[in-house]
Amino acid sequence: MMISSVHATLSLFRQSNNSLRSLKFCLPFSSSAASLSANNLSRKKSRQQPVLSALEYGGVKITRQDVVKDDDPTNNVPDNIFSKLGMQLHRRDQHPLGIIKNAIYDYFDTNYSNKFNKFDDLSPIVSLKQNFDDVLVPEDHVSRSYNDTYYIDPQTVLRCHTSAHQAELLRDGQTHFLVTGDVYRRDSIDSTHYPVFHQMEGFRVFVPDEWEASGMDGTSFAAEDLKKCLGGLARHLFGDVEMRWVDTYFPFTNPSFELEIYFKEKWLEVLGCGVTEQEILKRNGKSNNVAWAFGLGLERLAMVLFDIPDIRLFWSDDERFTSQFSKGQLGIKFKPFSKYPPCYKDISFWINESFTENNLCEVVRGVAGDLAEEDGTTTSP
Ligand code: DAH
């Protein structure tokens, strides 16, 4: 299961209940499901490191007690997940995720004269209704299970996609918007999976005049506009790449598509999108309109763009990672470094007249190989 955190950004909702996905997940989750008893949970939690006890989202304070409930068997949020809330990597301009977010903002600002409103600090704590019902996810869909989603209590979850905000923003009168945020899915961890990652949701509502003038029906008009918009975005980020559209299924769109780009000899799925189900528009006061929506995984885009080989690196505060990226710089290629933390040792020794630095370096390289670099030698009298 790949790039699934990355990939799951797109795949969690596209399969029906009896799909591949439930097969793929049954092994890792059968063991974690067993640990869901209150006893196991609190034992697991007590081993965790202490975490920050309060944080803020859009001015709203969130405390550990709001998210982690040690004695509540309906809560499956561990401390290490709580510790990720409030990190807001996508709001750091020097971080690869912030750099990608800003590059996408630039594309929309330039091509749609600042028409898209941007939200990037909506709280990841949402109701079951926001996360699932509002976007028509069926009652028996696998994504609602305790195995797949972090439940704070039976009615409240950590959002598993930014689509959770579509309905509230529509009701708020928004017609063009981008929502960026951290999303949470119970998943295994490896170089391409992590239970917390970042998505950007895009949404555009059309009025009848717009499609009527084209002579097309609303749905075809929106689908064509969507493909034009996202094809342009892929070129803005990746240059002149080969790309293809794949038909798929999401509960909230019809028709639904995925965009794949050809990168490093493979087709990579970079986003899911489609024409919004009329029912969503109707329920939120937009009966006479048509809309498109998309959801893209920022980690996936960043791994491709910056050559970042491991999704866990995004959480690193090791300077050897963070110092490689700068605000607004899309062309950087990540240079791998040792997985071990840097280890500084001062070594002093007496030298005689015949000492040269080259001799010393040769002795060191004889033992450590070519990776050893000169980093300045000082001599004291
Ligand atoms: N929410 C989907 C996911 O996380 C991604 C997505 C697909 C969002 C299609 C959309 C959409 O807005 O139209 O898997």
Side-chain angles (χ1 to χ4, degrees):
M1 199 188 55
M2 98 81 13
I3 296 230
S4 193
S5 277
V6 187
H7 186 74
T9 57
L10 315 169
S11 64
L12 179 55
F13 294 95
R14 73 168 176 225
Q15 308 285 358
S16 68
N17 214 7
N18 302 321
S19 68
L20 249 185
R21 181 180 158 80
S22 38
L23 288 174
K24 281 198 273 177
F25 281 81
C26 61
L27 262 181
F29 285 135
S30 53
S31 52
S32 53
S35 71
L36 256 184
S37 77
N39 249 348
N40 275 337
L41 263 183
S42 43
R43 234 188 303 130
K44 196 174 81 202
K45 283 171 182 172
S46 62
R47 268 189 261 121
Q48 304 290 337
Q49 298 293 318
V51 291
L52 211 76
S53 62
L55 44 102
E56 242 181 66
Y57 260 93
V60 179
K61 271 219 158 62
I62 299 174
T63 66
R64 179 180 180 276
Q65 285 72 17
D66 294 328
V67 181
V68 183
K69 303 189 176 175
D70 296 308
D71 300 322
D72 181 352
T74 67
N75 179 294
N76 62 357
V77 186
D79 266 324
N80 64 326
I81 291 296
F82 173 69
S83 71
K84 298 293 187 293
L85 266 83
M87 297 277 282
Q88 305 211 326
L89 303 180
H90 60 286
R91 301 186 73 202
R92 303 181 189 178
D93 289 341
Q94 317 261 9
H95 191 279
L97 300 179
I99 298 170
I100 290 260
K101 180 194 81 172
N102 289 329
I104 302 173
Y105 280 2
D106 283 347
Y107 171 79
F108 277 91
D109 285 346
T110 309
N111 290 284
Y112 298 92
S113 8
N114 301 314
K115 247 187 143 182
F116 277 78
N117 289 332
K118 301 162 193 103
F119 302 87
D120 72 355
D121 67 347
L122 301 179
S123 171
I125 300 177
V126 298
S127 65
L128 219 55
K129 177 174 175 299
Q130 286 172 294
N131 201 64
F132 298 119
D133 303 331
D134 282 354
V135 282
L136 314 178
V137 176
E139 281 296 332
D140 59 353
H141 195 277
V142 64
S143 61
R144 291 183 183 249
S145 76
Y146 271 66
N147 267 343
D148 284 34
T149 291
Y150 288 106
Y151 278 78
I152 292 174
D153 61 46
Q155 294 310 323
T156 318
V157 295
L158 294 179
R159 70 182 159 214
C160 63
H161 57 164
T162 43
S163 308
H165 299 288
Q166 285 187 4
E168 67 191 85
L169 290 170
L170 280 174
R171 282 197 298 277
D172 193 40
Q174 302 290 335
T175 57
H176 297 66
F177 56 85
L178 301 171
V179 180
T180 314
D182 35 344
V183 299
Y184 298 78
R185 294 182 191 175
R186 296 189 80 214
D187 203 349
S188 49
I189 296 181
D190 61 33
S191 65
T192 52
H193 302 80
Y194 204 70
V196 189
F197 56 99
H198 297 76
Q199 286 189 326
M200 186 188 289
E201 191 83 5
F203 206 97
R204 177 177 186 183
V205 179
F206 296 95
V207 294
D209 279 355
E210 288 172 278
W211 70 82
E212 279 163 14
S214 76
M216 284 176 168
D217 66 275
T219 304
S220 314
F221 178 82
E224 193 177 293
D225 187 83
L226 172 66
K227 288 182 173 178
K228 220 185 314 155
C229 167
L230 293 174
L233 174 62
R235 273 188 298 277
H236 174 72
L237 295 175
F238 297 106
D240 195 13
V241 283
E242 248 189 284
M243 53 180 105
R244 69 181 183 192
W245 291 101
V246 180
D247 290 336
T248 188
Y249 163 82
F250 294 108
F252 22 89
T253 45
N254 187 16
S256 306
F257 314 102
E258 279 161 2
L259 179 62
E260 296 185 342
I261 61 170
Y262 199 65
F263 191 79
K264 297 208 162 140
E265 285 153 38
K266 270 200 216 128
W267 284 105
L268 278 174
E269 176 200 338
V270 292
L271 58 87
C273 64
V275 179
T276 301
E277 280 288 356
Q278 208 55 40
E279 179 65 19
I280 297 178
L281 296 176
K282 197 172 99 192
R283 287 188 194 175
N284 297 291
K286 297 272 183 297
S287 303
N288 299 321
N289 302 81
V290 165
W292 56 236
F294 66 81
L296 51 82
L298 294 186
E299 274 85 349
R300 178 130 221 214
L301 293 177
M303 286 171 92
V304 172
L305 245 179
F306 298 118
D307 261 351
I308 297 174
D310 192 313
I311 195 166
R312 290 166 285 202
L313 281 164
F314 290 103
W315 298 94
S316 173
D317 53 13
D318 189 318
E319 210 186 291
R320 292 170 298 175
F321 177 74
T322 55
S323 66
Q324 293 197 31
F325 304 96
S326 356
K327 183 176 174 181
Q329 301 275 311
L330 278 181
I332 292 164
K333 293 294 172 207
F334 171 70
K335 289 183 209 66
F337 54 85
S338 161
K339 65 179 176 176
Y340 299 106
C343 169
Y344 299 102
K345 295 261 186 288
D346 286 336
I347 304 172
S348 316
F349 43 88
W350 294 105
I351 52 175
N352 66 19
E353 296 299 307
S354 65
F355 172 85
T356 68
E357 286 183 17
N358 279 346
N359 285 347
L360 173 66
C361 288
E362 238 160 47
V363 173
V364 173
R365 288 206 188 99
V367 178
D370 286 346
L371 283 177
E373 280 181 30
E374 238 173 290
D375 195 25
T377 313
T378 49
T379 28
S380 313

